Amino acid sequence: MTPVALLISGEPASGKTTLGAAAAERYSAALLDLDVITGPLTERFGARLDDPEVREARYAALLDTAVDTLRVGTSAVLVAPFTAERTDPGRWSAVAGRLRAAGAEPLLVWVDCPPELILARMRERAASRDSAKLNDPAKLLATRPIEPVAQHVRVDATTPMAEQLAELDRHCPSGREQACAQATPRSTTWPLRPE
């Protein structure tokens, strides 16, 4: 069966990680989270996440890991904002082409979340990477992100997880609908999270 690459995109604190983990379990896929794969390096070396070179290196690490995962026949759920990839057709085409060359059918997922809920989630998780946004909540509330310009599946982050997963089930690519619905509950996170 052709592996699937689900790219879970959205704004920070929109619910990407939660949906990504649930989707990886549902579809027996490897869970590849940008923050997990590259977070220790950026924390250790103090790299600024908004630096374009750092951003490119982080996404290269994520995509390289996904390609290796897909080449051995394992589906992958990639969790990241994918801001450039979802707003630039050329960049999306390059990423999708690379994942197809690795033997997968990519599906871009947009986790749509109201700014009020994003703000509440940022306050709740209290992560240092959110501090600039929390210092100016009015700006965050006034900003609406640009939806993907590429073909994508929109998932409403305000709905229960069962409904979010049902939306993914309806759009599983390459005839995997049946396999997605019957997948065993097993997932892999790489790199492994410490116990």
Side-chain angles (χ1 to χ4, degrees):
M1 183 137 338
T2 303
V4 173
L6 295 178
L7 288 81
I8 311 290
S9 70
E11 295 299 297
S14 61
K16 299 182 303 295
T17 300
T18 303
L19 176 59
E25 182 175 346
R26 185 177 195 91
Y27 306 141
S28 297
L31 176 59
L32 306 175
D33 187 306
L34 180 69
D35 290 334
V36 173
I37 290 173
T38 66
L41 289 174
T42 55
E43 287 175 22
R44 171 75 171 99
F45 297 107
R48 294 189 43 87
L49 298 181
D50 56 356
D51 181 303
E53 287 185 31
V54 173
R55 192 247 187 235
E56 291 304 313
R58 293 181 77 215
Y59 276 81
L62 177 65
L63 289 170
D64 289 348
T65 305
V67 165
D68 283 350
T69 301
L70 296 166
R71 282 192 179 137
V72 298
T74 301
S75 291
V77 176
L78 291 74
V79 177
F82 290 111
T83 306
E85 295 75 12
R86 67 181 155 82
T87 58
D88 179 340
R91 288 187 74 133
W92 168 250
S93 180
V95 167
R98 190 158 177 227
L99 297 172
R100 283 188 186 102
E105 188 55 40
L107 178 65
L108 180 61
V109 178
W110 169 247
V111 180
D112 193 14
C113 189
E116 299 80 15
L117 183 54
I118 286 176
L119 186 58
R121 288 176 175 174
M122 282 184 177
R123 286 182 177 136
E124 185 177 312
R125 75 183 185 186
S128 60
R129 65 183 181 267
D130 297 329
S131 59
K133 293 179 179 112
L134 290 174
N135 287 338
D136 191 1
K139 181 178 178 184
L140 178 67
L141 291 172
T143 305
R144 277 309 287 157
I146 301 169
E147 279 200 41
V149 294
Q151 183 176 354
H152 65 282
V153 173
R154 180 190 169 275
V155 173
D156 182 350
T158 65
T159 61
M161 185 54 63
E163 290 180 33
Q164 294 180 42
L165 290 171
E167 187 64 27
L168 294 183
D169 287 344
R170 285 190 282 278
H171 297 279
C172 269
S174 284
R176 286 187 52 97
E177 295 84 356
Q178 200 66 5
C180 288
Q182 297 173 356
T184 57
R186 177 178 57 90
S187 67
T188 304
T189 303
W190 187 259
L192 297 174
R193 296 178 193 259
E195 295 296 326

